[in-house]
Amino acid sequence: VNDNKVFMQFARRFEDEFMRDMEDLGVRPPTAMTRISEYVPEVIDFVERIIANGFAYASNGSVYFDTVAYKASGHNYRKLSPASESDNMAAAMAESEGALSRGTDGTSEKKHEYDFALWKKSKPGEPVWESPWGQGRPGWHIECSVMASDLLGANMDVHAGGVDLQFPHHDNELAQSEAYYGHHQWVNYFFHAGHLHIKGLKMSKSLKNFITIRQALQEHSARQLRLMFLMQPWDRPMNFSDQTVGAAKAKEALFKNFFGTVKALMRSDWIKEEVGWRTKEDDRALCDQIADCQSKVHY
């Protein structure tokens, strides 16, 4: 395959399925939706500036981020997972880079073990674009930095993702973005959500416990699924099981009963009832609490 249209059509298929799943769950669409295939010129400009700033180098048609030069300049690498460099770090980096950082002769294209690809020379059958370093494609981490920078600029307040993205993906995003902008604060706050577990085990195709949103919606309503996730800590593994779904259904029934009672009361003719309209102390106390909460939220 050497036609990028084939890859684009494949991506659009799953993009469409994802957006329909979100709509079925009642999730509002994003304000903007970016595709890295539409940002390749910006990626090239981004990489060229990192090279010009002294934090990246070309090697065998690819470009790698120089983690040693970055740290030597006073920057902090691995802000989100500052554990000592160990075999775990090497394994995580190897998983993200894989065999991509080795040439045809098996030798490494990188200066240092933990350097990572900003631009990668394409292999036969991969998407390909022209660049100053030859035909290639964007690296995994650079995509998010370029697209987020286009929409949000040199700093963003909140960035989120799964806990598995903390290292190396988000750490590398931070490093290349701060190397590009020449500052030390690309993101103010990170939220890392827990993995989804099916009956206590991490959801995985290899364990044959994989379930899609569409399959889940055949047995449970979107509201029940949303409540199930809301009832579990967002930063811990989230469990999908008969017990958690049952708890969500019970909570849904509680809400339905409450709002059903409220609607019944609202339909009553209060003018004919012998009930005073004067605001009592409990009402005032509730109003004060609501006003205080609103002011704290919007502060």
Side-chain angles (χ1 to χ4, degrees):
V1 177
N2 55 13
D3 185 356
N4 280 2
K5 290 182 180 180
V6 175
F7 300 105
M8 300 305 108
Q9 291 171 354
F10 184 76
R12 296 297 176 273
R13 168 191 165 190
F14 289 99
E15 179 184 293
D16 179 63
E17 288 189 10
F18 172 78
M19 296 307 296
R20 283 190 281 118
D21 284 346
M22 293 300 101
E23 183 179 1
D24 291 341
L25 283 174
V27 178
R28 294 179 180 178
T31 304
M33 187 169 68
T34 58
R35 303 181 178 105
I36 189 58
S37 57
E38 299 170 354
Y39 273 84
V40 174
E42 288 84 354
V43 169
I44 293 173
D45 292 342
F46 207 94
V47 173
E48 287 184 319
R49 182 165 168 179
I50 296 176
I51 294 175
N53 289 345
F55 298 118
Y57 56 89
S59 177
N60 192 31
S62 299
V63 179
Y64 292 93
F65 187 85
D66 193 331
T67 55
V68 172
Y70 182 71
K71 289 186 288 186
S73 68
H75 286 275
N76 182 11
Y77 180 59
R78 292 192 69 193
K79 287 183 177 181
L80 304 178
S81 48
S84 60
E85 296 183 359
S86 62
D87 292 339
N88 290 335
M89 176 179 172
M93 186 68 80
E95 184 178 0
S96 72
E97 298 290 315
L100 301 179
S101 60
R102 296 192 175 277
T104 54
D105 59 355
T107 59
S108 177
E109 299 174 348
K110 303 189 295 185
K111 291 182 179 180
H112 317 292
E113 183 179 9
Y114 301 121
D115 294 353
F116 55 89
L118 300 176
W119 180 267
K120 191 58 197 167
K121 180 180 179 180
S122 292
K123 294 180 179 180
E126 294 181 342
V128 60
W129 289 270
E130 294 293 336
S131 79
W133 314 285
Q135 292 187 333
R137 55 179 178 75
W140 173 32
H141 316 294
I142 200 70
E143 302 177 355
C144 301
S145 292
V146 173
M147 294 187 292
S149 294
D150 178 59
L151 295 175
L152 303 173
N155 175 264
M156 70 175 80
D157 195 34
V158 177
H159 193 345
V163 66
D164 55 320
L165 298 180
Q166 182 169 314
F167 180 82
H169 185 51
H170 287 163
D171 271 318
N172 290 353
E173 272 189 60
L174 285 173
Q176 64 199 12
S177 299
E178 292 169 8
Y180 174 86
Y181 286 111
H183 59 37
H184 295 261
Q185 190 76 7
W186 188 53
V187 176
N188 296 336
Y189 302 99
F190 269 95
F191 294 142
H192 289 106
H195 284 141
L196 179 62
H197 286 62
I198 306 295
K199 297 181 180 180
L201 297 174
K202 180 180 175 182
M203 187 170 75
S204 170
K205 287 186 177 180
S206 62
L207 296 177
K208 301 186 184 302
N209 66 342
F210 190 88
I211 183 171
T212 66
I213 291 173
R214 199 156 302 169
Q215 290 171 334
L217 286 173
Q218 291 176 355
E219 299 184 24
H220 315 291
S221 70
R223 178 185 291 168
Q224 290 165 356
L225 293 177
R226 289 165 67 95
L227 283 171
M228 182 195 69
F229 288 118
L230 284 170
M231 292 171 64
Q232 302 184 60
W234 65 270
D235 59 341
R236 297 289 184 269
M238 291 173 278
N239 196 30
F240 180 88
S241 66
D242 295 339
Q243 182 180 4
T244 55
V245 173
K249 289 181 177 179
K251 186 67 68 175
E252 180 188 34
L254 178 66
F255 286 144
K256 282 184 176 180
N257 291 335
F258 172 77
F259 288 112
T261 302
V262 171
K263 289 179 179 179
L265 290 171
M266 291 176 66
R267 286 194 295 267
S268 299
D269 190 345
W270 289 95
I271 300 299
K272 294 180 180 180
E273 298 288 342
E274 295 180 359
V275 178
W277 284 63
R278 178 175 174 176
T279 301
K280 298 180 180 180
E281 291 303 318
D282 289 345
D283 299 317
R284 294 184 183 185
L286 179 59
C287 289
D288 289 341
Q289 290 180 23
I290 292 173
D292 180 60
C293 182
Q294 288 176 333
S295 65
K296 290 179 179 177
V297 169
H298 295 287
Y299 175 70

